């Protein structure tokens, strides 16, 4: 199947603790403000802003607070216990980025104070309540007001109403991706491989879960005349049983064709008579049929039909992947049966079972013929957690995923009363176009019936001849139509009612979750080991980790021709330094990243892109002057780029205080996460710097939380010089900001080693965040050990002058 799994050999693994991928809880990120600092509106709105004056004696200090709010709103501040409360006032006519005093507060050293805005009141009109938007200033500046003046100046000129359409535009699960088939088979094969990788990675099956012994239990035979039914339990994951029923023809001779039958979201699951009917009829036709549960249905009902939380997200584990893995293992079992012809196995299911059908067909090439029923649509993509996983349909949709089965026989059945009403006009032509690239457009057929959402007898009768033709070489005839059938009760079909056949005790959902997290940590540990040792598997391991990183970050490196650059203003930043304010994004995306470009009079053609969690304002120190590293870079003739990532600074809407894009069902399946959006912001700014006519070198520097962005994005960016990151003591191996599936890429350590042989310096990493040993070994194997330096937070960060000199390779 060409799905990454660990090589079957024994080797010494690095201890989990060494790479920091053992089970960890999420770490809350805070924006720290000490004696004088900048706190972003994003951090305030997210409840992550903390003020603290260092010290242990509890002395009281008075600190001035200044706000930047381009709406012109006034603010006042007060201290209530361990909380600094900001209260909104009136809005001045015209609005302005000018700094406004919020008064002063007395803070005790050594104590942490959260920054909060009073909860918004609700207004009611009759029966409906509307939540009043909660305004939030773009910035809160603690201490010297001169810093606030420069922050205000850096923000002035950018439009008060945020230009970036990502604030208001999202894709929903009722929208496809407008799949357009390519004209070239070569182009399609490349795209098909990318879609398969995306499915496997986002479903958490990259690396593939270990295929442990199924310990198959088949028992309780029931004779129904010309077919039999048996109960089946497969231990797909230690302690988890995938249960179902196998329907066998009694009088067929020779090797049997077989059918996998996943069910849809019927309340009674596989017990539903429409599911039973197709299994009985196919068995009567001479097929061996295995119908099996979705997770949390029938025999696995105690597990529940959900499997998600933030920890599972970071490890790339989800319900979709669990079900697809079960389907893969069900297929393994069918192929292992001596009476089954492994080359003649089909799959059919309806609705959610249709989703499982085309998912399985897209990632596993052993299915010979498929009939996904009432599911593939150009519009609605799926409404259940078991059909949606973070990143899974970003840039793709069910039509393209279904087309990935080409050129094997496929039968589509739609219904006029559901989302498949356009099967004949919007779905079939596109999939048939892909089949045409192989010269076999005839291998995909479709029918639509005037029913509501269904897999009823009429629809089933459209599928039986399809399987008879392609898996039995039997022509269509009236004899294939479904006769009247007798159905089973739940009591006769349930597999786990009798515990005697099962030696192992079923594990709880919590036990399975812990087991799978430990499994994933062990897998990545071993892949990192292989990727950083001389071995035949090294290149394959590097590819596994890098591919996961590319999909999970979603970074696209723009070509210069794709950039949309809009100059907002240009003036003098300081003596000898020109300042341009820009918006940059990719054509057709709606992105508009606020950028400040600082150009020394005697520019050398060398640029440094600076990433900071405070965005453009992060280039300033508490005195309102450029930070030492920025000042040193400019003095050496280096052009400096700073930018506001999404929802920071000029990319923040202080009128609403919104920190997320509009919500929708299964948002993350169709849209990039905030972290992914910010990684793309960085990539866009790097592309801008590289596109400038006189540019001869571009370097990259990241500080604090934005240092993680630099590590995640850098392996996907080409043509860069040196990369400097200061993690400021962060100690979360999978990152302090949620990047779903970050463990699959090896965490921050995996991202850092993927940068090799690029020149990299990591400073102030926590002992678990980035492993100097693993990253150093990767560079050793590239033959460039001097290209990397990783030091932990026991050592202070380099001075601004020394960072600038290192970036510019000034001895």
């Amino acid at each position: 199947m060409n799905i990454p799994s660990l090589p079957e050999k024994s080797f010494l693994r690095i201890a989990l603790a060494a790479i920091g991928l053992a089970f960890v809880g999420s770490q809350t990120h805070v924006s720290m403000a000490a004696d004088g600092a900048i706190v972003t509106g994003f951090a305030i709105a997210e409840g992550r802003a903390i003020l603290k004056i260092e010290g242990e004696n509890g002395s009281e200090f008075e600190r001035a607070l200044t706000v930047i709010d381009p709406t012109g709103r006034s603010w006042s501040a007060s201290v209530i216990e361990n909380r600094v409360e900001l209260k909104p006032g009136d809005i001045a006519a015209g609005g302005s980025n000018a700094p406004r005093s919020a008064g002063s507060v007395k803070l005790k050293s050594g104590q942490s104070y959260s920054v909060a805005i009073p909860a918004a009141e609700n207004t009611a009109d009759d029966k409906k309540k509307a939540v009043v938007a909660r305004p939030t200033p773009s910035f809160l500046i603690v201490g010297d007001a001169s810093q606030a003046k420069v922050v205000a100046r850096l923000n002035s000129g950018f439009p008060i109403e945020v230009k970036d359409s990502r604030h208001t535009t999202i894709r929903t699960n009722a929208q496809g991706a407008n799949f357009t088939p390519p004209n070239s088979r070569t182009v399609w094969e490349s795209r098909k491989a990318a879609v398969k990788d995306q499915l496997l990675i986002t479903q958490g099956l990259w690396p593939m879960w270990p295929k442990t012994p199924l310990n198959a239990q088949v028992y309780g035979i029931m004779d129904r005349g010309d077919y039999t039914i048996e109960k089946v339990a497969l231990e797909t994951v230690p302690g988890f049983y995938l249960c179902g029923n196998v329907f066998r023809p009694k009088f067929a001779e020779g090797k049997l064709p077989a059918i996998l039958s996943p069910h849809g979201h019927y309340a009674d699951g596989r017990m539903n008579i429409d599911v039973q009917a197709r299994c009985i009829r196919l068995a009567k036709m001479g097929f061996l049929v295995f119908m099996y549960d979705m997770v949390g249905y029938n025999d696995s009902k105690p597990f529940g039909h959900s499997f998600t939380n933030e920890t599972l997200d970071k490890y790339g584990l989800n319900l979709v992947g669990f079900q697809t893995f079960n389907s893969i293992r069900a297929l393994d079992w069918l192929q292992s049966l001596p009476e089954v012809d492994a080359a003649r196995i089909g799959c059919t299911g309806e609705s959610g079972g249709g989703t499982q059908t085309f998912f399985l067909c897209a990632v596993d090439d052993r299915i010979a013929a498929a009939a996904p029923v009432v599911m593939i649509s150009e519009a609605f993509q799926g409404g259940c957690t078991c059909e949606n996983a973070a990143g899974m349909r970003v840039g793709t949709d069910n039509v393209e995923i279904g087309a990935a089965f080409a050129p094997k026989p496929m039968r589509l059945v739609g219904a006029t009363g559901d989302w498949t009403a356009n099967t004949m006009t919007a779905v079939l032509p596109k999939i048939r176009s892909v089949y045409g690239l192989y010269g076999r457009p005839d291998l995909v057929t479709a029918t639509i019936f005037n029913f509501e959402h269904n897999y009823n007898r009429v629809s089933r009768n459209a599928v039986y001849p399809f399987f008879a033709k392609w898996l039995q070489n039997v022509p269509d005839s009236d004899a294939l139509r479904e006769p009247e059938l007798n159905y089973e009760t739940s009591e006769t079909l349930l597999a786990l009612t009798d515990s005697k056949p099962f030696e192992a005790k079923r594990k709880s959902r919590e036990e399975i979750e812990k087991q799978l997290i430990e499994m994933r940590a062990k897998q990545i540990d071993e892949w990192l080991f292989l990727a950083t040792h001389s071995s035949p598997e090294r290149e394959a391991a590097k590819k596994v980790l890098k591919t996961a990183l590319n999909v999970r970050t979603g970074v696209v490196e723009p070509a210069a021709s794709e950039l949309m650059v809009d100059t907002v203003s240009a003036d003098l930043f300081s003596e000898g330094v020109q300042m341009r304010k820009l918006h940059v994004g990719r054509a057709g995306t709606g992105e508009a990243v606020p950028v400040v470009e600082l150009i020394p009079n005697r520019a050398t053609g060398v640029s440094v892109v600076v990433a900071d969690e405070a965005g453009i304002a992060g280039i300033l120190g508490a005195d309102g002057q450029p930070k030492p590293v920025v000042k040193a870079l400019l003095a050496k003739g280096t052009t400096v780029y700073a930018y506001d990532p999404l929802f920071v600074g000029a990319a923040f809407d202080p009128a609403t205080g919104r920190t997320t894009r509009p919500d929708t069902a299964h948002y993350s399946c169709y849209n990039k996460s905030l972290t992914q959006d910010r990684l793309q912001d960085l990539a866009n700014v790097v592309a801008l710097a590289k596109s400038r006519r006189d540019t001869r070198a571009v370097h990259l520097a990241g500080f604090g939380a934005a240092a993680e962005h630099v590590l995640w994005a850098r392996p996907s960016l080409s043509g860069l010089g040196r990369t400097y990151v200061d993690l400021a003591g962060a100690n979360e191996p999978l990152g302090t900001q949620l990047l779903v599936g970050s463990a699959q890429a090896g965490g921050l350590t995996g991202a850092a080693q993927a940068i090799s042989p690029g020149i990299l310096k990591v400073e102030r990493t926590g002992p678990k965040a980035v492993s100097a040993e693993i990253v150093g070994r990767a560079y050793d194997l590239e033959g460039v050990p001097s290209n990397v330096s990783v030091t932990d937070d026991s050592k202070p960060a380099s001075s601004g002058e020394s960072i600038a000199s290192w970036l510019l390779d000034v001895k």
Side-chain angles (χ1 to χ4, degrees):
M1 291 186 290
N2 195 30
I3 300 171
S5 56
L6 287 167
E8 295 181 1
K9 61 179 290 186
S10 297
F11 48 80
L12 177 63
R13 298 195 313 274
I14 304 168
L16 286 176
I19 64 172
L21 285 176
F23 177 82
V24 290
S26 63
Q27 174 179 327
T28 300
H29 169 65
V30 295
S31 295
M32 298 300 294
D35 197 19
I38 300 169
V39 181
T40 65
F42 173 82
I44 297 170
E46 285 278 289
R48 302 180 183 183
I50 302 293
L51 304 181
K52 184 177 181 181
I53 295 178
E54 298 300 333
E56 299 181 0
N57 58 8
S59 299
E60 196 168 67
F61 296 84
E62 186 168 354
R63 292 290 177 261
L65 300 182
T66 308
V67 296
I68 308 295
D69 186 342
T71 68
R73 187 184 297 276
S74 63
W75 292 85
S76 60
S78 59
V79 175
I80 302 174
E81 296 179 344
N82 63 342
R83 184 175 78 255
V84 174
E85 190 169 276
L86 289 175
K87 292 184 178 180
D90 296 331
I91 299 177
S96 171
N97 268 301
R100 292 176 179 78
S101 172
S104 61
V105 294
K106 292 182 179 180
L107 307 175
K108 293 182 179 179
S109 60
Q111 182 171 328
S112 294
Y113 297 84
S114 63
V115 181
I117 296 174
E121 295 181 358
N122 287 341
T123 60
D125 63 12
D126 298 328
K127 299 179 180 179
K128 292 194 285 186
K129 285 188 176 182
V131 177
V132 177
R134 182 186 297 189
T136 306
S138 295
F139 292 100
L140 173 69
I141 291 87
V142 182
D144 192 342
S146 62
Q147 185 183 34
K149 293 179 181 178
V150 185
V151 172
R153 186 178 166 212
L154 289 172
N155 273 262
S156 66
F158 288 109
I160 294 176
E161 292 185 359
V162 178
K163 185 178 179 181
D164 198 313
S165 68
R166 290 177 293 178
H167 278 250
T168 56
T169 304
I170 56 169
R171 178 181 161 203
T172 74
N173 68 338
Q175 296 170 287
N178 194 26
F179 167 59
T180 302
N183 295 321
S184 161
R185 178 172 165 179
T186 300
V187 172
W188 167 248
E189 289 286 350
S190 176
R191 177 59 187 160
K192 175 180 176 178
V195 169
K196 177 179 177 179
D197 288 351
Q198 182 172 336
L199 288 174
L200 287 169
I201 290 166
T202 57
Q203 292 187 18
L205 301 178
W206 181 293
M208 180 54 66
W209 298 8
K211 290 189 174 184
T212 52
L214 286 171
N215 301 319
Q217 303 286 340
V218 184
Y219 63 101
I221 188 168
M222 295 170 275
D223 193 324
R224 296 298 182 254
D226 52 354
Y227 66 95
T228 62
I229 306 173
E230 292 172 274
K231 301 179 180 184
V232 178
L234 308 176
E235 195 173 4
T236 55
V237 172
F240 180 89
Y241 289 98
L242 172 65
C243 295
N245 302 97
V246 61
F247 295 72
R248 301 176 190 265
K250 278 182 65 175
F251 307 114
E253 297 180 355
K255 290 276 191 176
L256 300 176
I259 301 290
L260 281 174
S261 181
H263 65 82
H265 291 93
Y266 297 110
D268 52 353
R270 77 177 197 269
M271 308 302 165
N272 188 274
I273 61 172
D274 279 341
V275 183
Q276 290 189 50
R278 64 178 181 260
C279 298
I280 295 169
R281 180 64 191 124
L282 287 165
K284 286 174 172 285
M285 289 168 57
F287 289 91
L288 184 146
V289 186
F290 180 40
M291 73 172 187
Y292 56 98
D293 289 336
M294 290 201 295
V295 174
Y297 277 71
N298 302 126
D299 284 294
S300 65
K301 191 172 183 178
F303 189 91
H305 194 58
S306 64
F307 194 61
T308 183
N309 56 49
E310 186 170 308
T311 301
L312 287 170
D313 283 346
K314 286 194 172 186
Y315 283 88
L317 300 168
N318 50 61
L319 182 60
V320 191
F322 206 150
Q323 290 198 164
T324 301
F325 183 70
N326 280 345
S327 293
I328 291 170
R329 295 313 325 263
L331 179 54
D332 290 343
W333 178 68
L334 275 187
Q335 282 202 321
S336 74
L337 297 178
E339 67 270 35
V340 168
D341 183 346
R344 291 190 293 154
I345 298 179
C347 186
T348 185
E350 76 296 338
S351 193
T355 300
Q356 269 298 294
T357 297
F358 63 77
F359 279 172
L360 177 63
C361 290
V363 303
D364 195 316
D365 58 15
R366 294 176 294 173
I367 296 295
V373 175
V374 290
M375 193 61 233
I376 296 183
S377 166
E378 84 291 353
F380 182 69
Q381 303 292 297
C384 181
T385 305
C386 75
E387 299 172 286
N388 295 277
M392 193 173 70
R393 290 191 184 87
V394 171
T396 189
D397 60 18
N398 288 352
V399 178
E400 184 175 38
I401 296 168
F405 192 53
K408 295 180 181 180
M410 176 184 281
R411 178 69 161 152
L412 304 176
V413 179
T416 58
D418 70 8
W419 52 88
T420 60
N422 296 327
T423 294
M424 307 306 293
T425 57
V427 176
L428 178 62
K430 290 187 175 184
I431 296 180
R432 183 166 280 168
S433 179
V434 172
Y435 274 73
L437 298 175
Y438 298 89
R440 294 303 307 270
D442 58 303
L443 291 182
V444 57
T445 56
T447 305
I448 188 166
F449 295 109
N450 190 25
F451 295 114
E452 297 298 314
H453 195 57
N454 77 95
Y455 199 175
N456 61 23
R457 182 186 291 187
V458 174
S459 296
R460 294 193 294 272
N461 279 331
V463 171
Y464 299 140
F466 166 77
F467 283 126
K469 176 179 178 179
W470 294 109
L471 299 182
Q472 293 176 310
N473 196 27
V474 171
D476 190 6
S477 71
D478 289 342
L480 296 177
R481 304 300 178 262
E482 182 181 298
E484 291 299 321
L485 301 171
N486 295 317
Y487 304 109
E488 307 296 327
T489 64
S490 297
E491 289 72 24
T492 61
L493 294 179
L494 286 171
L496 297 185
T497 52
D498 181 359
S499 63
K500 292 180 181 178
F502 305 99
E503 297 178 2
K505 181 182 179 181
R506 277 194 292 174
K507 293 181 179 178
S508 67
R509 182 195 181 284
E510 292 72 24
E511 290 172 316
I512 295 291
E513 178 179 329
K514 183 174 184 294
Q515 175 178 291
L516 288 174
I517 289 171
E518 291 173 347
M519 171 274 292
R520 175 49 44 84
K522 179 180 177 181
Q523 281 184 323
I524 300 304
D525 177 13
E526 293 174 332
W527 281 114
L528 279 173
F529 179 91
L530 290 173
T532 53
H533 283 73
S534 295
S535 67
E537 296 89 359
R538 179 174 173 244
E539 289 304 318
K542 286 171 59 180
K543 183 179 179 181
V544 167
L545 294 168
K546 182 68 180 294
T547 304
L549 183 68
N550 290 342
V551 170
R552 285 307 191 179
T553 60
V555 172
V556 177
E557 183 174 26
S561 60
E562 297 176 86
L563 292 178
M564 299 291 289
V565 182
D566 176 26
T567 300
V568 175
S569 64
D571 57 21
L572 189 67
F573 178 67
S574 61
E575 185 177 352
V577 179
Q578 296 292 318
M579 175 170 62
R580 290 194 192 119
K581 294 176 183 175
L582 316 157
H583 279 125
V584 63
R586 295 171 296 155
T589 65
E591 299 160 345
V593 185
V595 180
V596 163
E597 182 181 34
L598 301 177
I599 312 165
N601 282 348
R602 297 181 179 178
T604 62
V606 176
S607 300
V608 173
V609 175
V610 176
D612 190 280
E613 63 183 309
I616 294 168
I619 65 174
L620 301 178
D623 58 358
Q625 297 299 308
K627 286 180 178 176
V629 62
V630 175
K631 188 179 295 185
L633 288 169
L634 293 172
K636 299 177 191 297
T638 306
T639 299
V640 174
Y641 291 84
Y643 67 98
D644 282 334
L646 190 60
F647 296 116
V648 169
F652 180 77
D653 182 359
T656 64
R658 182 186 296 121
T659 59
T660 61
R661 299 171 72 179
D663 197 13
T664 186
H666 309 293
Y667 169 95
S668 64
C669 184
Y670 305 90
N671 304 277
K672 287 188 173 183
S673 67
L674 177 60
T675 298
Q676 288 176 315
D677 274 327
R678 289 176 169 180
L679 295 180
Q680 188 61 52
D681 291 345
L682 173 57
N684 292 345
V685 178
V686 168
L688 171 68
K690 288 164 56 179
S691 73
R692 293 308 199 194
R693 185 179 60 184
D694 297 328
T695 298
R696 59 186 180 86
V698 177
H699 307 295
L700 190 54
F703 300 89
E708 293 180 12
H709 294 165
V710 170
L711 284 176
W712 291 128
R714 175 62 182 84
S716 298
L717 304 177
S718 63
L720 289 178
R722 297 181 165 223
T723 301
Y724 172 85
V725 294
D726 175 5
L727 287 170
N731 196 34
E732 166 58 76
L734 302 182
T736 60
Q737 301 153 90
L738 178 61
L739 180 64
V740 173
S742 55
Q744 292 170 281
L748 292 175
T749 292
Q753 64 91 14
I755 295 172
S756 67
I759 301 174
L760 172 67
K761 176 178 276 193
V762 179
E763 292 195 316
R764 290 203 295 170
T765 175
K768 293 180 180 179
V770 177
S771 167
E773 178 186 3
I774 293 175
V775 177
R777 189 176 293 122
Y779 277 80
D780 285 343
L781 289 172
E782 293 284 354
V784 286
S786 62
N787 278 11
V788 68
S789 171
V790 179
T791 53
D792 62 32
D793 58 352
S794 65
K795 298 179 181 179
S798 301
S799 67
E801 177 68 36
S802 62
I803 294 170
S805 295
W806 182 84
L807 283 167
L808 304 177
D809 196 20
V810 176
K811 305 299 182 185

